Amino acid sequence: LGPREAVNVGPDGRYVFTVQDGKVAEKPVKVLFDDTKSMAVEGDLSPGDQVVTDGQLRLVPGAKVLVEGAPAARPAAGARGAKRKGGKKP
């Protein structure tokens, strides 16, 4: 289970933004479970991946971001989600 705030809905379905090496990638996901607080998703995610939970409206794939106030990843089944904040494009 991961943070529900990470899952977005676009014209091609649901997706999450992940951050790797300071850049954003959009990854499609399928929602397996939703209890209105957390979601279990299936997709090209790995335990420990950083997912964006705030500021997604300003992001596009490939955008450079700065992770602010990065807390330790919360234990979760499947992909882990920690609250991340996306920065603005330079």
Side-chain angles (χ1 to χ4, degrees):
L1 293 175
R4 190 170 199 266
E5 297 85 11
V7 179
N8 303 286
V9 180
D12 296 325
R14 295 178 190 234
Y15 65 93
V16 297
F17 284 115
T18 60
V19 179
Q20 186 174 15
D21 300 323
K23 290 189 179 182
V24 174
E26 185 178 310
K27 295 191 177 185
V29 294
K30 176 182 175 186
V31 175
L32 302 175
F33 173 80
D34 179 2
D35 70 0
T36 70
K37 183 176 179 181
S38 297
M39 282 187 167
V41 297
E42 178 179 72
D44 184 22
L45 299 171
S46 299
D49 281 356
Q50 292 180 326
V51 295
V52 178
T53 60
D54 188 23
Q56 295 98 320
L57 291 177
R58 298 183 300 261
L59 297 179
V60 294
K64 292 181 182 179
V65 295
L66 174 65
V67 177
E68 296 179 352
R74 292 181 275 178
R80 295 182 193 173
K83 189 163 186 163
R84 306 293 184 211
K85 227 177 200 181
K88 295 181 181 177
K89 285 175 69 173

